[in-house]
mmCIF file of all heavy atoms in Angstrom:
data_model
loop_
_atom_site.group_PDB
_atom_site.id
_atom_site.type_symbol
_atom_site.label_atom_id
_atom_site.label_comp_id
_atom_site.label_asym_id
_atom_site.label_seq_id
_atom_site.Cartn_x
_atom_site.Cartn_y
_atom_site.Cartn_z
ATOM 1 N N GLU A 1 47.139 -22.188 -31.232
ATOM 2 C CA GLU A 1 47.745 -23.287 -30.456
ATOM 3 C C GLU A 1 49.254 -23.332 -30.652
ATOM 4 O O GLU A 1 50.012 -23.520 -29.700
ATOM 5 C CB GLU A 1 47.089 -24.613 -30.878
ATOM 6 C CG GLU A 1 47.390 -25.772 -29.944
ATOM 7 C CD GLU A 1 48.761 -26.398 -30.173
ATOM 8 O OE1 GLU A 1 49.185 -26.469 -31.339
ATOM 9 O OE2 GLU A 1 49.405 -26.825 -29.191
ATOM 10 N N GLN A 2 49.696 -23.130 -31.880
ATOM 11 C CA GLN A 2 51.140 -23.152 -32.156
ATOM 12 C C GLN A 2 51.856 -21.998 -31.456
ATOM 13 O O GLN A 2 52.957 -22.165 -30.918
ATOM 14 C CB GLN A 2 51.382 -23.104 -33.658
ATOM 15 C CG GLN A 2 51.032 -24.399 -34.375
ATOM 16 C CD GLN A 2 50.929 -24.235 -35.879
ATOM 17 O OE1 GLN A 2 51.287 -23.198 -36.428
ATOM 18 N NE2 GLN A 2 50.403 -25.254 -36.554
ATOM 19 N N HIS A 3 51.209 -20.810 -31.442
ATOM 20 C CA HIS A 3 51.814 -19.655 -30.758
ATOM 21 C C HIS A 3 51.942 -19.933 -29.259
ATOM 22 O O HIS A 3 52.986 -19.641 -28.655
ATOM 23 C CB HIS A 3 50.967 -18.402 -30.977
ATOM 24 C CG HIS A 3 51.029 -17.866 -32.374
ATOM 25 N ND1 HIS A 3 52.225 -17.715 -33.064
ATOM 26 C CD2 HIS A 3 50.057 -17.421 -33.216
ATOM 27 C CE1 HIS A 3 51.971 -17.220 -34.261
ATOM 28 N NE2 HIS A 3 50.666 -17.028 -34.371
ATOM 29 N N PHE A 4 50.902 -20.500 -28.657
ATOM 30 C CA PHE A 4 50.967 -20.799 -27.227
ATOM 31 C C PHE A 4 51.986 -21.903 -26.944
ATOM 32 O O PHE A 4 52.664 -21.875 -25.914
ATOM 33 C CB PHE A 4 49.591 -21.208 -26.699
ATOM 34 C CG PHE A 4 48.782 -20.060 -26.161
ATOM 35 C CD1 PHE A 4 47.583 -19.708 -26.756
ATOM 36 C CD2 PHE A 4 49.220 -19.327 -25.070
ATOM 37 C CE1 PHE A 4 46.837 -18.637 -26.275
ATOM 38 C CE2 PHE A 4 48.469 -18.272 -24.580
ATOM 39 C CZ PHE A 4 47.276 -17.926 -25.172
ATOM 40 N N SER A 5 52.077 -22.854 -27.848
ATOM 41 C CA SER A 5 53.034 -23.937 -27.678
ATOM 42 C C SER A 5 54.469 -23.390 -27.686
ATOM 43 O O SER A 5 55.313 -23.775 -26.861
ATOM 44 C CB SER A 5 52.858 -24.971 -28.796
ATOM 45 O OG SER A 5 53.692 -26.074 -28.591
ATOM 46 N N ARG A 6 54.734 -22.452 -28.604
ATOM 47 C CA ARG A 6 56.063 -21.818 -28.652
ATOM 48 C C ARG A 6 56.318 -21.014 -27.379
ATOM 49 O O ARG A 6 57.408 -21.048 -26.799
ATOM 50 C CB ARG A 6 56.147 -20.902 -29.873
ATOM 51 C CG ARG A 6 57.494 -20.182 -29.952
ATOM 52 C CD ARG A 6 57.632 -19.307 -31.180
ATOM 53 N NE ARG A 6 58.883 -18.571 -31.105
ATOM 54 C CZ ARG A 6 58.989 -17.261 -31.174
ATOM 55 N NH1 ARG A 6 57.908 -16.505 -31.312
ATOM 56 N NH2 ARG A 6 60.158 -16.672 -31.090
ATOM 57 N N LEU A 7 55.297 -20.297 -26.928
ATOM 58 C CA LEU A 7 55.426 -19.504 -25.703
ATOM 59 C C LEU A 7 55.758 -20.402 -24.519
ATOM 60 O O LEU A 7 56.631 -20.072 -23.690
ATOM 61 C CB LEU A 7 54.103 -18.761 -25.445
ATOM 62 C CG LEU A 7 53.994 -17.918 -24.180
ATOM 63 C CD1 LEU A 7 54.973 -16.758 -24.219
ATOM 64 C CD2 LEU A 7 52.582 -17.399 -24.005
ATOM 65 N N LEU A 8 55.099 -21.562 -24.457
ATOM 66 C CA LEU A 8 55.342 -22.489 -23.346
ATOM 67 C C LEU A 8 56.748 -23.072 -23.412
ATOM 68 O O LEU A 8 57.392 -23.283 -22.372
ATOM 69 C CB LEU A 8 54.296 -23.613 -23.397
ATOM 70 C CG LEU A 8 54.116 -24.426 -22.119
ATOM 71 C CD1 LEU A 8 53.685 -23.543 -20.965
ATOM 72 C CD2 LEU A 8 53.085 -25.526 -22.338
ATOM 73 N N SER A 9 57.251 -23.296 -24.612
ATOM 74 C CA SER A 9 58.621 -23.828 -24.729
ATOM 75 C C SER A 9 59.669 -22.778 -24.324
ATOM 76 O O SER A 9 60.710 -23.118 -23.781
ATOM 77 C CB SER A 9 58.879 -24.304 -26.166
ATOM 78 O OG SER A 9 58.833 -23.221 -27.057
ATOM 79 N N LEU A 10 59.363 -21.495 -24.601
ATOM 80 C CA LEU A 10 60.298 -20.428 -24.215
ATOM 81 C C LEU A 10 60.231 -20.126 -22.723
ATOM 82 O O LEU A 10 61.245 -19.789 -22.103
ATOM 83 C CB LEU A 10 59.972 -19.144 -24.997
ATOM 84 C CG LEU A 10 60.339 -19.114 -26.475
ATOM 85 C CD1 LEU A 10 59.761 -17.868 -27.144
ATOM 86 C CD2 LEU A 10 61.855 -19.145 -26.655
ATOM 87 N N HIS A 11 59.020 -20.227 -22.144
ATOM 88 C CA HIS A 11 58.833 -19.873 -20.725
ATOM 89 C C HIS A 11 58.051 -20.999 -20.033
ATOM 90 O O HIS A 11 56.866 -20.856 -19.733
ATOM 91 C CB HIS A 11 58.071 -18.547 -20.599
ATOM 92 C CG HIS A 11 58.671 -17.431 -21.397
ATOM 93 N ND1 HIS A 11 59.767 -16.705 -20.963
ATOM 94 C CD2 HIS A 11 58.337 -16.906 -22.592
ATOM 95 C CE1 HIS A 11 60.068 -15.781 -21.865
ATOM 96 N NE2 HIS A 11 59.219 -15.899 -22.865
ATOM 97 N N PRO A 12 58.697 -22.143 -19.778
ATOM 98 C CA PRO A 12 57.959 -23.319 -19.298
ATOM 99 C C PRO A 12 57.373 -23.183 -17.894
ATOM 100 O O PRO A 12 56.511 -23.969 -17.512
ATOM 101 C CB PRO A 12 59.021 -24.437 -19.346
ATOM 102 C CG PRO A 12 60.328 -23.727 -19.327
ATOM 103 C CD PRO A 12 60.116 -22.425 -20.013
ATOM 104 N N HIS A 13 57.850 -22.210 -17.107
ATOM 105 C CA HIS A 13 57.326 -22.059 -15.753
ATOM 106 C C HIS A 13 56.365 -20.882 -15.629
ATOM 107 O O HIS A 13 55.951 -20.529 -14.535
ATOM 108 C CB HIS A 13 58.476 -21.881 -14.752
ATOM 109 C CG HIS A 13 59.418 -23.045 -14.728
ATOM 110 N ND1 HIS A 13 60.642 -23.035 -15.344
ATOM 111 C CD2 HIS A 13 59.275 -24.284 -14.190
ATOM 112 C CE1 HIS A 13 61.241 -24.198 -15.187
ATOM 113 N NE2 HIS A 13 60.428 -24.982 -14.494
ATOM 114 N N ARG A 14 56.020 -20.265 -16.738
ATOM 115 C CA ARG A 14 55.128 -19.101 -16.720
ATOM 116 C C ARG A 14 53.681 -19.560 -16.859
ATOM 117 O O ARG A 14 53.311 -20.171 -17.854
ATOM 118 C CB ARG A 14 55.497 -18.149 -17.867
ATOM 119 C CG ARG A 14 54.666 -16.877 -17.929
ATOM 120 C CD ARG A 14 55.130 -16.014 -19.091
ATOM 121 N NE ARG A 14 54.414 -14.750 -19.166
ATOM 122 C CZ ARG A 14 53.285 -14.545 -19.859
ATOM 123 N NH1 ARG A 14 52.752 -15.556 -20.536
ATOM 124 N NH2 ARG A 14 52.703 -13.361 -19.867
ATOM 125 N N LEU A 15 52.860 -19.247 -15.862
ATOM 126 C CA LEU A 15 51.468 -19.701 -15.870
ATOM 127 C C LEU A 15 50.489 -18.652 -16.404
ATOM 128 O O LEU A 15 49.338 -18.990 -16.692
ATOM 129 C CB LEU A 15 51.047 -20.088 -14.436
ATOM 130 C CG LEU A 15 51.859 -21.208 -13.782
ATOM 131 C CD1 LEU A 15 51.288 -21.533 -12.417
ATOM 132 C CD2 LEU A 15 51.885 -22.457 -14.653
ATOM 133 N N ASP A 16 50.939 -17.401 -16.530
ATOM 134 C CA ASP A 16 50.044 -16.347 -17.011
ATOM 135 C C ASP A 16 49.451 -16.729 -18.367
ATOM 136 O O ASP A 16 50.169 -17.160 -19.276
ATOM 137 C CB ASP A 16 50.800 -15.021 -17.166
ATOM 138 C CG ASP A 16 51.492 -14.604 -15.882
ATOM 139 O OD1 ASP A 16 52.294 -15.409 -15.388
ATOM 140 O OD2 ASP A 16 51.258 -13.496 -15.395
ATOM 141 N N SER A 17 48.163 -16.577 -18.515
ATOM 142 C CA SER A 17 47.422 -16.782 -19.778
ATOM 143 C C SER A 17 47.304 -18.243 -20.203
ATOM 144 O O SER A 17 46.778 -18.523 -21.277
ATOM 145 C CB SER A 17 48.042 -15.984 -20.931
ATOM 146 O OG SER A 17 48.069 -14.610 -20.621
ATOM 147 N N LEU A 18 47.791 -19.174 -19.390
ATOM 148 C CA LEU A 18 47.642 -20.579 -19.786
ATOM 149 C C LEU A 18 46.181 -21.029 -19.727
ATOM 150 O O LEU A 18 45.819 -22.044 -20.336
ATOM 151 C CB LEU A 18 48.507 -21.492 -18.909
ATOM 152 C CG LEU A 18 50.015 -21.454 -19.194
ATOM 153 C CD1 LEU A 18 50.722 -22.564 -18.444
ATOM 154 C CD2 LEU A 18 50.311 -21.575 -20.689
ATOM 155 N N ASP A 19 45.340 -20.256 -19.023
ATOM 156 C CA ASP A 19 43.909 -20.589 -19.050
ATOM 157 C C ASP A 19 43.360 -20.412 -20.464
ATOM 158 O O ASP A 19 42.521 -21.201 -20.924
ATOM 159 C CB ASP A 19 43.129 -19.754 -18.031
ATOM 160 C CG ASP A 19 43.436 -18.264 -18.125
ATOM 161 O OD1 ASP A 19 44.504 -17.902 -18.652
ATOM 162 O OD2 ASP A 19 42.605 -17.456 -17.668
ATOM 163 N N HIS A 20 43.847 -19.378 -21.189
ATOM 164 C CA HIS A 20 43.435 -19.205 -22.593
ATOM 165 C C HIS A 20 43.915 -20.386 -23.451
ATOM 166 O O HIS A 20 43.199 -20.870 -24.326
ATOM 167 C CB HIS A 20 44.027 -17.913 -23.167
ATOM 168 C CG HIS A 20 43.484 -16.676 -22.529
ATOM 169 N ND1 HIS A 20 42.147 -16.344 -22.547
ATOM 170 C CD2 HIS A 20 44.092 -15.674 -21.856
ATOM 171 C CE1 HIS A 20 41.953 -15.198 -21.914
ATOM 172 N NE2 HIS A 20 43.119 -14.773 -21.479
ATOM 173 N N TYR A 21 45.144 -20.825 -23.186
ATOM 174 C CA TYR A 21 45.698 -21.955 -23.941
ATOM 175 C C TYR A 21 44.847 -23.199 -23.710
ATOM 176 O O TYR A 21 44.548 -23.954 -24.648
ATOM 177 C CB TYR A 21 47.141 -22.187 -23.502
ATOM 178 C CG TYR A 21 47.885 -23.235 -24.319
ATOM 179 C CD1 TYR A 21 47.574 -23.502 -25.637
ATOM 180 C CD2 TYR A 21 48.942 -23.956 -23.747
ATOM 181 C CE1 TYR A 21 48.260 -24.442 -26.381
ATOM 182 C CE2 TYR A 21 49.644 -24.896 -24.471
ATOM 183 C CZ TYR A 21 49.302 -25.142 -25.788
ATOM 184 O OH TYR A 21 49.998 -26.084 -26.515
ATOM 185 N N SER A 22 44.433 -23.405 -22.468
ATOM 186 C CA SER A 22 43.611 -24.595 -22.179
ATOM 187 C C SER A 22 42.266 -24.519 -22.896
ATOM 188 O O SER A 22 41.718 -25.545 -23.318
ATOM 189 C CB SER A 22 43.411 -24.738 -20.669
ATOM 190 O OG SER A 22 42.527 -23.750 -20.162
ATOM 191 N N ASN A 23 41.722 -23.297 -23.064
ATOM 192 C CA ASN A 23 40.468 -23.158 -23.817
ATOM 193 C C ASN A 23 40.645 -23.609 -25.257
ATOM 194 O O ASN A 23 39.798 -24.299 -25.832
ATOM 195 C CB ASN A 23 40.001 -21.695 -23.812
ATOM 196 C CG ASN A 23 39.592 -21.228 -22.432
ATOM 197 O OD1 ASN A 23 39.208 -22.029 -21.595
ATOM 198 N ND2 ASN A 23 39.685 -19.939 -22.199
ATOM 199 N N ILE A 24 41.787 -23.220 -25.850
ATOM 200 C CA ILE A 24 42.053 -23.580 -27.256
ATOM 201 C C ILE A 24 42.232 -25.091 -27.380
ATOM 202 O O ILE A 24 41.695 -25.725 -28.300
ATOM 203 C CB ILE A 24 43.298 -22.821 -27.758
ATOM 204 C CG1 ILE A 24 42.978 -21.313 -27.852
ATOM 205 C CG2 ILE A 24 43.755 -23.351 -29.113
ATOM 206 C CD1 ILE A 24 44.199 -20.439 -28.006
ATOM 207 N N LEU A 25 42.963 -25.698 -26.444
ATOM 208 C CA LEU A 25 43.169 -27.148 -26.479
ATOM 209 C C LEU A 25 41.838 -27.886 -26.288
ATOM 210 O O LEU A 25 41.599 -28.928 -26.897
ATOM 211 C CB LEU A 25 44.171 -27.559 -25.401
ATOM 212 C CG LEU A 25 45.607 -27.043 -25.609
ATOM 213 C CD1 LEU A 25 46.473 -27.396 -24.405
ATOM 214 C CD2 LEU A 25 46.217 -27.621 -26.883
ATOM 215 N N TYR A 26 40.984 -27.336 -25.438
ATOM 216 C CA TYR A 26 39.648 -27.920 -25.235
ATOM 217 C C TYR A 26 38.869 -27.890 -26.550
ATOM 218 O O TYR A 26 38.270 -28.883 -26.968
ATOM 219 C CB TYR A 26 38.934 -27.100 -24.161
ATOM 220 C CG TYR A 26 37.562 -27.615 -23.769
ATOM 221 C CD1 TYR A 26 37.336 -28.146 -22.516
ATOM 222 C CD2 TYR A 26 36.488 -27.554 -24.651
ATOM 223 C CE1 TYR A 26 36.072 -28.606 -22.142
ATOM 224 C CE2 TYR A 26 35.227 -28.020 -24.303
ATOM 225 C CZ TYR A 26 35.028 -28.546 -23.045
ATOM 226 O OH TYR A 26 33.778 -29.000 -22.700
ATOM 227 N N VAL A 27 38.879 -26.726 -27.187
ATOM 228 C CA VAL A 27 38.146 -26.547 -28.437
ATOM 229 C C VAL A 27 38.637 -27.513 -29.499
ATOM 230 O O VAL A 27 37.855 -28.105 -30.246
ATOM 231 C CB VAL A 27 38.301 -25.087 -28.913
ATOM 232 C CG1 VAL A 27 37.869 -24.939 -30.353
ATOM 233 C CG2 VAL A 27 37.527 -24.140 -28.027
ATOM 234 N N LEU A 28 39.951 -27.686 -29.589
ATOM 235 C CA LEU A 28 40.549 -28.564 -30.598
ATOM 236 C C LEU A 28 40.522 -30.027 -30.172
ATOM 237 O O LEU A 28 41.008 -30.897 -30.904
ATOM 238 C CB LEU A 28 42.004 -28.127 -30.876
ATOM 239 C CG LEU A 28 42.155 -26.743 -31.510
ATOM 240 C CD1 LEU A 28 43.629 -26.343 -31.569
ATOM 241 C CD2 LEU A 28 41.556 -26.712 -32.909
ATOM 242 N N ASN A 29 39.978 -30.291 -28.975
ATOM 243 C CA ASN A 29 39.870 -31.660 -28.456
ATOM 244 C C ASN A 29 41.234 -32.339 -28.346
ATOM 245 O O ASN A 29 41.362 -33.539 -28.586
ATOM 246 C CB ASN A 29 38.912 -32.478 -29.325
ATOM 247 C CG ASN A 29 38.373 -33.685 -28.588
ATOM 248 O OD1 ASN A 29 38.288 -33.678 -27.360
ATOM 249 N ND2 ASN A 29 38.024 -34.731 -29.316
ATOM 250 N N MET A 30 42.266 -31.575 -27.994
ATOM 251 C CA MET A 30 43.621 -32.138 -27.826
ATOM 252 C C MET A 30 43.790 -32.597 -26.374
ATOM 253 O O MET A 30 44.452 -31.940 -25.562
ATOM 254 C CB MET A 30 44.676 -31.091 -28.188
ATOM 255 C CG MET A 30 44.697 -30.713 -29.653
ATOM 256 S SD MET A 30 46.038 -29.547 -30.002
ATOM 257 C CE MET A 30 46.023 -29.519 -31.793
ATOM 258 N N ARG A 31 43.192 -33.702 -26.057
ATOM 259 C CA ARG A 31 43.168 -34.141 -24.668
ATOM 260 C C ARG A 31 44.562 -34.459 -24.101
ATOM 261 O O ARG A 31 44.874 -34.042 -22.990
ATOM 262 C CB ARG A 31 42.245 -35.356 -24.516
ATOM 263 C CG ARG A 31 41.867 -35.620 -23.077
ATOM 264 C CD ARG A 31 40.807 -36.665 -22.962
ATOM 265 N NE ARG A 31 41.366 -38.013 -23.078
ATOM 266 C CZ ARG A 31 40.662 -39.137 -23.045
ATOM 267 N NH1 ARG A 31 39.350 -39.067 -22.907
ATOM 268 N NH2 ARG A 31 41.226 -40.310 -23.157
ATOM 269 N N PRO A 32 45.426 -35.183 -24.846
ATOM 270 C CA PRO A 32 46.754 -35.456 -24.281
ATOM 271 C C PRO A 32 47.542 -34.179 -23.980
ATOM 272 O O PRO A 32 48.180 -34.060 -22.929
ATOM 273 C CB PRO A 32 47.444 -36.300 -25.370
ATOM 274 C CG PRO A 32 46.333 -36.876 -26.165
ATOM 275 C CD PRO A 32 45.244 -35.860 -26.142
ATOM 276 N N LYS A 33 47.469 -33.205 -24.884
ATOM 277 C CA LYS A 33 48.216 -31.965 -24.665
ATOM 278 C C LYS A 33 47.619 -31.179 -23.501
ATOM 279 O O LYS A 33 48.347 -30.581 -22.705
ATOM 280 C CB LYS A 33 48.236 -31.117 -25.940
ATOM 281 C CG LYS A 33 49.220 -29.961 -25.880
ATOM 282 C CD LYS A 33 49.474 -29.336 -27.240
ATOM 283 C CE LYS A 33 50.532 -30.081 -28.002
ATOM 284 N NZ LYS A 33 51.003 -29.341 -29.205
ATOM 285 N N LEU A 34 46.285 -31.175 -23.393
ATOM 286 C CA LEU A 34 45.650 -30.480 -22.272
ATOM 287 C C LEU A 34 46.014 -31.162 -20.952
ATOM 288 O O LEU A 34 46.244 -30.480 -19.937
ATOM 289 C CB LEU A 34 44.121 -30.461 -22.461
ATOM 290 C CG LEU A 34 43.297 -29.733 -21.388
ATOM 291 C CD1 LEU A 34 43.798 -28.310 -21.185
ATOM 292 C CD2 LEU A 34 41.820 -29.711 -21.768
ATOM 293 N N ALA A 35 46.111 -32.475 -20.962
ATOM 294 C CA ALA A 35 46.535 -33.213 -19.758
ATOM 295 C C ALA A 35 47.957 -32.815 -19.376
ATOM 296 O O ALA A 35 48.270 -32.614 -18.190
ATOM 297 C CB ALA A 35 46.448 -34.716 -20.005
ATOM 298 N N PHE A 36 48.832 -32.681 -20.395
ATOM 299 C CA PHE A 36 50.217 -32.278 -20.130
ATOM 300 C C PHE A 36 50.264 -30.876 -19.515
ATOM 301 O O PHE A 36 50.985 -30.644 -18.532
ATOM 302 C CB PHE A 36 51.016 -32.298 -21.441
ATOM 303 C CG PHE A 36 52.340 -31.598 -21.345
ATOM 304 C CD1 PHE A 36 53.414 -32.175 -20.683
ATOM 305 C CD2 PHE A 36 52.509 -30.342 -21.904
ATOM 306 C CE1 PHE A 36 54.627 -31.513 -20.581
ATOM 307 C CE2 PHE A 36 53.710 -29.663 -21.815
ATOM 308 C CZ PHE A 36 54.780 -30.257 -21.149
ATOM 309 N N VAL A 37 49.511 -29.935 -20.078
ATOM 310 C CA VAL A 37 49.513 -28.556 -19.565
ATOM 311 C C VAL A 37 48.948 -28.525 -18.145
ATOM 312 O O VAL A 37 49.471 -27.813 -17.278
ATOM 313 C CB VAL A 37 48.719 -27.613 -20.498
ATOM 314 C CG1 VAL A 37 48.631 -26.209 -19.915
ATOM 315 C CG2 VAL A 37 49.360 -27.552 -21.877
ATOM 316 N N ALA A 38 47.898 -29.308 -17.888
ATOM 317 C CA ALA A 38 47.318 -29.364 -16.539
ATOM 318 C C ALA A 38 48.338 -29.900 -15.537
ATOM 319 O O ALA A 38 48.495 -29.368 -14.432
ATOM 320 C CB ALA A 38 46.068 -30.240 -16.549
ATOM 321 N N HIS A 39 49.063 -30.949 -15.935
ATOM 322 C CA HIS A 39 50.094 -31.518 -15.051
ATOM 323 C C HIS A 39 51.215 -30.507 -14.817
ATOM 324 O O HIS A 39 51.709 -30.362 -13.687
ATOM 325 C CB HIS A 39 50.656 -32.796 -15.678
ATOM 326 C CG HIS A 39 51.741 -33.430 -14.866
ATOM 327 N ND1 HIS A 39 51.478 -34.113 -13.697
ATOM 328 C CD2 HIS A 39 53.091 -33.462 -15.034
ATOM 329 C CE1 HIS A 39 52.623 -34.549 -13.192
ATOM 330 N NE2 HIS A 39 53.612 -34.165 -13.978
ATOM 331 N N LEU A 40 51.605 -29.798 -15.875
ATOM 332 C CA LEU A 40 52.662 -28.794 -15.753
ATOM 333 C C LEU A 40 52.256 -27.688 -14.775
ATOM 334 O O LEU A 40 53.018 -27.308 -13.885
ATOM 335 C CB LEU A 40 52.961 -28.194 -17.134
ATOM 336 C CG LEU A 40 53.990 -27.064 -17.167
ATOM 337 C CD1 LEU A 40 55.378 -27.590 -16.849
ATOM 338 C CD2 LEU A 40 53.990 -26.377 -18.521
ATOM 339 N N CYS A 41 51.031 -27.189 -14.943
ATOM 340 C CA CYS A 41 50.549 -26.122 -14.045
ATOM 341 C C CYS A 41 50.514 -26.592 -12.605
ATOM 342 O O CYS A 41 50.902 -25.865 -11.680
ATOM 343 C CB CYS A 41 49.142 -25.681 -14.462
ATOM 344 S SG CYS A 41 49.075 -24.787 -16.016
ATOM 345 N N SER A 42 50.051 -27.818 -12.417
ATOM 346 C CA SER A 42 49.964 -28.361 -11.064
ATOM 347 C C SER A 42 51.338 -28.493 -10.425
ATOM 348 O O SER A 42 51.517 -28.241 -9.233
ATOM 349 C CB SER A 42 49.258 -29.709 -11.103
ATOM 350 O OG SER A 42 49.087 -30.221 -9.804
#
C-alpha cells in the first residue's frame, strides 16, 4: 500500500495498475482511501 501510495503521489494522473491498488485497499479495509482513489480515477 505504501509503495502504491508513493507511486500515486509521483504520477497522480496515471491509471495503469490502480486496479491492483484498489484490491490492496479493499483487503486492508481502507474505505476512505479507496473512495479517494475511485474519485481520482473517475
